[in-house]
Every structure is written in structure tokens, then in C-alpha cells.
Amino acid sequence: MIRSAIVPPHAVCAAIETLEHAGHTAWMVGGCVRDSLCGVMPHDWDLTTSARPDEVQKLFPNVRLTGIQHGTVTVIMDDMALEVTTYRGEGSYTDGRHPDAICFLSRVEDDLARRDFTINAMAYHPVRGLCDPFGGREDLQSGVLRAVGNPDLRFTEDALRILRGVRFAAKTGFEIEPDTVYAMYRQMQRLECIASERVFAELNTILTSRYVGRALRQYRAVLAVVLPELSPMFGLCQHNPHHCYDVWEHTIRTVEAIPAQPVLRWTMLLHDSGKPHTYSMDETGIGHFYGHPKMSAQLTQQILKRLRAPNALRTEVETLVALHDHGLGQDERQVRRSLAKHGETVVRQLLSVKKADYTGQNTFPIHLQELQHTERLVNGICAQAPCLTLKTLAVDGYTMQELGFSGTEIGEGLRWLLTQVVEGHLPNEPHALRTCASEWKESRHDR
Ligand code: ATP
Ligand code: MG
């Protein structure tokens, strides 16, 4: 839906003026034009110009040259970083991921022709208005993603565009136009050549986008090229009264049901990836997936390593996938144990994971009430700032030394005291802990 006129920030207009005053032409281009036309505030403003990088560099006092090999100079104005790229064409792509050489051009239309989708191939000028040689505005209006030019050729040049297509569909909810979709399917194996980090970045955006469910349903074959571990889930019937969807449809519904944070979305995408490998049917015809969280965690590790996902995300997702079926407790003592074992952050993430998992099982999820009860217990316990870690225990290693503890006995003694506090057998109070520690030490020596 086209909603608004383009209102560029002052720095963008000033940069265009500076370039044009020096005899060049310059335009805003790409995502910022697309987003402005939809009434979405662009998160960055890119410019395209006839000026060569060395000429751009001379015209602005504050520049960064990190993208100069692609013809891009970053101009800093009013605290904004504007990427200014010379009108550019690309030569042949022998590896399907990088142009063998880039060449500079003199017409903006030729620069737009090398861009991926028509909605991304528009330029805008504060005086001359919109430059739209491929019908991007009309496609934006009708909600269509269409490759610029011959789609097979464009995907052969750079296969990442296939995944970018799924990404834009997931973000906007637009339909990909049939010729473009067929070309995506014909060329999708080329995604195997794309650098893992770039694939991961696109998948991350797809997973945290508004129309992720539709994208996972419609373009699962494309996603399976970069995530082949997903394929066995497609259409796998669970033969289980708790589940009315197959494993893939269940997965999609859980992804949709959880907040759009990368860790949580990756967790839901992969939480049941081990199911196809652990399936069994009992004598009554009911399907089971014993041990699937462990298998899913192994696959998660394999996938996120291959995609070179950041370590912190990998560790968090692996933990949540491994624990997704783990009970957090239905009474205060059990919940305190869970909090002491996993920490409040993981317990709260697991509450979200379980809620999404139950929501995706059936049209009428029956376990949600139990989960609400657990959540109330978690809230109640955490509100009292309880002692659940050694750090918050009212005695420390020095106290234990004063009581005559030494060596490994100190750590053992502290952990034992913590368990007594977590279980509610002891208050977290120095006097009580000291007395109990001494008794524990004596009882060990008597044995
Ligand atoms: P976002 O809002 O996610 O940043 P964007 O469209 O700005 O979306 P960028 O990756 O920032 O995406 O790219 C800027 C522009 O460069 C795109 O709008 C498109 O015109 C062009 N572009 C980027 N990557 C490619 C590619 N692989 N092939 C062709 N054109 C591309
Ligand atoms: Mg951008």
C-alpha cells in the first residue's frame, strides 16, 4: 500500500545538493525509497551518484572508505552515515556470489537495472521526483515481488537474491510473482555456494519477520536447500492425540506464536527437528518421539555451527531446544529447583517456548493453564529476591574457612547449604547457615 510522500532528512538533501553543485547527478535509492513510499521510516538512506568514489571523497570532509571496492563511500553528515555508491554495473558472475568486476556507469537507470527486485529498483530525487523504470511503484501498490529483468539470469548471477526474495516476502507479506518464483525454484541449488554468514543473516531476518509463517509454508523447498535438516519434518504425521498438525505445520505455528526475538524463533524452528529420527509407534497405534529433544539439540548444534551463527545465540538456542520438553514444576519447591538449576532468564525463556509449543499442538491447547500456574509461581518466587545461587548465599568461602573447612570441602559445603536453602529446609541467614555447616562437617567426619 502506497501511503506517503518521501520526506528525506536534511543530511540526505544536503549531500545530493553538494554532489549536484559539483556537476554530478545523485539520487536516493533502494530500501529508503521503497520504505518511504509505504509510510515506513527507513532505517538507512542510501544514495547513488554519477560521481566516482574519489570525487565523492573530495567533496565531503568526513568520509569512511570501507566499501570502496564496491564503489561505495560512507559520508558522515549530521551524525548520519550515508552510503554513497557510484552508478554501477556488474560484469559476469563465475562463482554465483561475487561479480568478477564492477564497472562504473553514467545513467541512474543502468544502475537500477542491476538491483534485485523492482520494489528495490527505484530512485528518488527531491526535485526530479521518482525514477522507476521497472514498475516498482505499481508492484509496491499491488504487493508483488518481481525480479528486475530475466529472473533466471539474476538468480544465476547472485543466488543470495533467492533468499532475499523469501526475506522480502516474509517482511512485507507480498506474493512473489510466478515467473520469479519458478526461477527461484529452478536456481535454488545455487544457494549452496553462498557464504554461511550471509545465509544466516537472511534466515534470521526471515524468522523475525511479521509474515514468517507464510514464508515457511510457501517457500519451504527453498529453505530446505540451506537447512536440509528441515525436510524430514515436512508432512510428517505425528499419530498422537496431543497433536492435530504434522511436525512442520506444528513447527510453523510455534514460530508464529513466540515473540520475534532471534533466540526464541530459532528455538521454535529447530525444537522438533529430532522428531523424524526418533519416531516410534506403540501397539495401540499412537506415535511417540522418545528422546527427541536431545536429538533436536544435536541437529541444532550442527546447523548453527555450519551457518556460523554467533556463539551466544548458538549456546542459548541449543539449551532451550534441549530443555523444551523439560517440566519446570507445579509447586513452589519444584519451581525453586528449576530456577536454581537454570537461572531466571532461561526459565522465563522456557515458559515462552512451552507456551508456543502448546499453542501449536492443537486448536484447543489444554496445558496452557498449568503453564500459567507455573508462571505465577516463578513471579512470586522471583519477587521475593530469593537465594538461588552461591553468589546470594549469606555465607561465603571465608566463612567456611573460619569454620574449619579447607580445600574442595569449601565448595562442597557451600553447594550443600545452597541446596538446603533452595529446598526450603534452611533460611538464608548467616547464623543458621553456620550452625548447619558445622553439623554437616561433623557428620561427614563421623562417617
Ligand atoms: P533493508 O530494509 O533490509 O535494509 P534494503 O532493500 O535496503 O532492505 P540492503 O541489503 O540494504 O536492502 O540493500 C540496499 C539495496 O541494494 C537494495 O534495495 C537493492 O536495491 C540493492 N541490493 C542489495 N543486495 C542486492 C543483491 N544481492 N542483488 C541486487 N541488488 C541488491
Ligand atoms: Mg538497507
Side-chain angles (χ1 to χ4, degrees):
M1 169 79 77
I2 300 215
R3 291 214 184 88
S4 70
I6 297 175
V7 188
H10 168 263
V12 174
C13 297
I16 291 177
E17 249 177 68
T18 304
L19 286 159
E20 300 207 334
H21 195 70
H24 309 288
T25 52
W27 302 74
M28 292 160 238
V29 73
C32 65
V33 178
R34 177 199 67 218
D35 289 348
S36 303
L37 286 173
C38 298
V40 173
M41 187 59 176
H43 56 86
D44 47 27
W45 295 81
D46 297 333
L47 302 186
T48 184
T49 179
S50 59
R52 300 298 158 103
D54 57 314
E55 293 169 322
V56 176
Q57 209 179 321
K58 280 187 206 132
L59 286 170
F60 296 94
N62 195 356
V63 296
R64 280 191 229 130
L65 303 176
T66 39
I68 199 104
Q69 70 278 22
H70 309 294
T72 302
V73 173
T74 304
V75 170
I76 315 290
M77 277 181 97
D78 297 353
D79 289 335
M80 282 182 81
L82 307 173
E83 290 204 344
V84 181
T85 306
T86 305
Y87 298 155
R88 178 186 109 175
E90 288 156 7
S92 53
Y93 285 71
T94 33
D95 65 355
R97 44 206 273 208
H98 306 109
D100 298 333
I102 58 163
C103 55
F104 296 132
L105 305 166
S106 51
R107 285 168 15 106
V108 66
E109 291 83 356
D110 297 329
D111 177 90
L112 296 176
R114 62 129 179 129
R115 293 173 185 269
D116 50 5
F117 297 96
T118 60
I119 61 165
N120 293 339
M122 290 183 276
Y124 181 80
H125 187 277
V127 177
R128 296 190 291 274
L130 195 66
C131 175
D132 178 19
F134 304 103
R137 190 187 167 105
E138 205 183 316
D139 283 343
L140 202 55
Q141 181 95 55
S142 4
V144 169
L145 277 165
R146 185 191 312 273
V148 172
N150 177 330
D152 280 289
L153 201 62
R154 306 319 310 284
F155 297 146
T156 313
E157 288 167 355
D158 178 4
L160 188 71
R161 291 170 186 159
I162 298 169
L163 215 45
R164 281 174 61 86
V166 178
R167 185 243 278 200
F168 286 114
K171 256 189 137 167
T172 58
F174 286 12
E175 285 299 330
I176 306 183
E177 166 276 329
D179 282 346
T180 304
V181 173
Y182 296 142
M184 278 169 67
Y185 288 136
R186 280 192 294 267
Q187 308 301 338
M188 65 189 183
Q189 291 308 328
R190 294 176 189 273
L191 277 169
E192 287 169 0
C193 306
I194 300 295
S196 312
E197 291 86 348
R198 299 179 80 194
V199 169
F200 175 77
E202 293 300 332
L203 292 175
N204 223 22
T205 312
I206 292 169
L207 281 175
T208 49
S209 290
R210 177 161 175 204
Y211 299 97
V212 57
R214 271 169 68 178
L216 294 179
R217 252 176 226 112
Q218 277 183 283
Y219 306 113
R220 65 183 203 183
V222 174
L223 297 171
V225 175
V226 286
L227 294 171
E229 294 86 350
L230 301 182
S231 296
M233 291 196 264
F234 301 163
L236 182 72
C237 180
Q238 311 206 47
H239 298 291
N240 188 296
H242 294 303
H243 282 275
C244 71
Y245 306 112
D246 70 59
V247 178
W248 183 237
E249 182 58 29
H250 162 69
T251 298
I252 295 172
R253 284 169 185 263
T254 65
V255 169
E256 289 179 305
I258 206 151
Q261 297 162 15
V263 165
L264 298 179
R265 289 277 166 104
W266 276 104
T267 300
M268 296 332 295
L269 182 75
L270 301 175
H271 79 287
D272 276 351
S273 54
K275 274 193 169 175
H277 310 279
T278 51
Y279 179 69
S280 64
M281 187 181 270
D282 68 21
E283 60 285 358
T284 63
I286 293 184
H288 301 281
F289 302 93
Y290 297 119
H292 80 272
K294 195 172 166 204
M295 176 61 85
S296 302
Q298 279 168 14
L299 288 168
T300 299
Q301 186 185 43
Q302 171 185 313
I303 292 166
L304 294 179
K305 244 185 170 170
R306 187 180 67 233
L307 293 175
R308 296 177 198 275
N311 281 340
L313 177 131
R314 246 175 62 192
T315 317
E316 277 186 79
V317 174
E318 271 171 48
T319 304
L320 295 176
V321 168
L323 294 175
H324 80 267
D325 245 7
H326 210 75
L328 293 171
Q330 281 296 301
D331 65 35
E332 181 147 348
R333 185 171 295 174
Q334 290 167 352
V335 173
R336 286 169 73 91
R337 268 185 214 147
S338 295
L339 283 163
K341 191 162 177 198
H342 307 299
E344 184 181 343
T345 308
V346 170
V347 166
R348 290 201 182 275
Q349 284 174 321
L350 281 172
L351 282 170
S352 300
V353 166
K354 286 172 160 300
K355 191 168 163 198
D357 200 4
Y358 291 147
T359 309
Q361 280 181 0
N362 262 306
T363 44
F364 187 68
I366 48 170
H367 294 294
L368 283 177
Q369 269 180 348
E370 286 169 24
L371 212 54
Q372 276 164 5
H373 176 62
T374 306
E375 189 167 10
R376 274 195 294 273
L377 288 170
V378 170
N379 290 340
I381 294 168
C382 291
Q384 298 157 15
C387 168
L388 299 169
T389 61
L390 287 178
K391 253 193 206 155
T392 48
L393 199 63
V395 293
D396 60 12
Y398 294 114
T399 323
M400 300 303 267
Q401 276 175 336
E402 279 172 29
L403 294 172
F405 283 69
S406 63
T408 54
E409 213 180 26
I410 298 178
E412 271 175 60
L414 285 171
R415 278 191 293 278
W416 187 78
L417 289 176
L418 179 63
T419 312
Q420 301 311 304
V421 173
V422 170
E423 295 287 322
H425 301 320
L426 261 185
N428 185 27
E429 190 269 310
H431 183 69
L433 293 176
R434 279 168 168 268
T435 310
C436 189
S438 300
E439 284 170 10
W440 181 73
K441 188 168 157 47
E442 263 173 43
S443 73
R444 279 187 23 129
H445 283 224
D446 290 349
R447 259 189 260 143

